Amino acid sequence: MAYVFRRWRVLLVLNVLTVAGFITFWAKCNTRSSVPTAAGPEAAADGRRAPGNGTSLGPGISHEVLLKRLSSLEDVVYRQLNGLSKSLGLIEGFGGRGKGGLPATLAPAEESDAKYLWEKYGYNAYLSERISLDRNIPDFRPAKCRKANFPRDLPQISLIFIFINEALSVILRSVHSAVNHTPAHLLKEIILVDDNSDDGIFKCVSVEQRKKECVDGEIKEQLKAPLEEYVNKRYPGLVKIVRNQKREGLIRARLEGWKVATGEVTGFFDAHVEFTPSWAEPVLARIKEDHTRIILPSIDNIKHDTFELERYENSGHGYNWELWCMYINPPKQWWDEGDTSAPIRTPAMIGCSFVVNRNYFGELGLLDSGMDVYGGENIELGIRVSVSPSFLLFQLSVPCGLEWSSGLSRGPADE
């Protein structure tokens, strides 16, 4: 169960254990000081205290009281951490709208306020701000995947998210989801690559308020200082932010993240994803078996209007004569084997979601930094890997359990 602890909880536990140790030490010392010495009938002849269990005498703190104090301390720390998101107008915890991947809705009075952000981002960003950063989502994996066991000594992964002018709530939900559902000992770091965002959000949200009260000087750049302050306090040392000084586009933004990554494995994602539990172990296990594998986690869909989770069926990736990447039916051999948890060997890939050994990716020549057209990366790397003698390009159909929303932001569109 410790695998699913968020990293801030690890820090919290360490602090709680320190306090618990101090309280226990103090209690024992207090108990010992109240035990009779050589004056009573139970004293030993040499004046030392008679042996005992050390708990039956004195005003020591009971186990129940200690637990209550620790619980109270945890509540205080959690409220302080939760206050970080509240200052941004966001929500933490596992309840609220959209929990369990169910569709979330707005009240009629909120619809007019939501219109501006919907037009701005192309998805219901106003609703996203009212969905918890920690919401749980359904597990669509086959039963066999849930029963699989994986070694603990898997390689660490650096998660690289790229974005430009993305809604802050969507970025932070991606980060929270990754931390919540990636075992702490496997998550080396999270790298946020900002492809020169120039986005600001009006302090006044509704159209009517903006016309009456807001001016250009009242724009709050949430993706600058507020984002940095939040991740530095919420996940100290875990999240890094890379700022491109000019707009580079999808490919070069990903490469900037790769340059600063220190994990043995790198995972590349758009910054509008939500991970399911146990997504990382099957990916990292296959790369540990063979470092030349490129893994494409299974993808479902998050609807852009209600943030409802929608299951996508198993598929491979191919391309047509126009070299446009497309979903394809898994090969007949895969169906004949009857194992829906097995990986699908596929000739193409999707650039917004793939995992690869960092050094091997460098040996391949990375992605072509000269590409300026969206979609080229889906074909280029797949072809380059498929013609090499060590071809073994995998898409993990379901076991990885990665959820993302194709209806959300386009990410850093190539120029």
Side-chain angles (χ1 to χ4, degrees), residues 34 204 255 365:
S34 64
C204 306
L255 297 184

Side-chain angles (χ1 to χ4, degrees), residues 163-304:
F163 67 90
I164 182 172
N165 297 339
E166 189 84 76
L168 179 62
S169 62
V170 170
I171 296 174
L172 293 182
R173 190 172 298 110
S174 300
V175 173
H176 273 248
S177 176
V179 176
N180 290 346
H181 296 139
T182 307
H185 72 286
L186 299 180
L187 182 56
K188 177 68 174 181
E189 62 204 349
I190 295 176
I191 301 171
L192 301 178
V193 182
D194 176 8
D195 198 20
N196 198 30
S197 294
D198 56 3
D199 181 43
I201 181 170
F202 286 100
K203 293 180 181 179
C204 306
V205 176
S206 71
V207 177
E208 292 75 13
Q209 285 181 320
R210 286 191 293 111
K211 287 180 179 178
K212 295 178 181 178
E213 304 172 15
C214 293
V215 295
D216 291 343
E218 291 180 324
I219 290 179
K220 181 180 180 181
E221 293 185 320
Q222 289 190 320
L223 301 185
K224 304 299 183 183
L227 172 61
E228 291 188 14
E229 181 180 0
Y230 179 87
V231 297
N232 288 338
K233 290 183 178 180
R234 190 68 172 77
Y235 302 113
L238 178 64
V239 180
K240 303 176 182 178
I241 299 179
V242 177
R243 304 280 189 185
N244 289 342
Q245 297 305 307
K246 64 185 181 76
R247 187 172 178 179
E248 298 288 353
L250 282 165
I251 303 303
R252 291 181 289 274
R254 291 191 180 109
L255 297 184
E256 290 301 316
W258 178 86
K259 290 177 184 178
V260 302
T262 59
E264 182 178 344
V265 176
T266 48
F268 297 86
F269 304 97
D270 288 347
H272 42 260
V273 299
E274 294 184 48
F275 295 83
T276 58
S278 303
W279 78 273
E281 292 91 324
V283 176
L284 298 176
R286 291 191 177 276
I287 290 181
K288 182 180 179 180
E289 292 172 359
D290 188 338
H291 77 283
T292 66
R293 291 173 173 169
I294 298 179
I295 309 296
L296 311 178
S298 177
I299 292 176
D300 294 309
N301 184 49
I302 303 173
K303 294 185 178 181
H304 70 284

Side-chain angles (χ1 to χ4, degrees), residues 40 51 72 99 106 139 225 237 239 250 253 269 314 317 389 400:
S72 176
K99 65 178 180 179
L106 293 173
D139 187 352
V239 180
L250 282 165
F269 304 97
N314 297 328
H317 293 281
C400 305

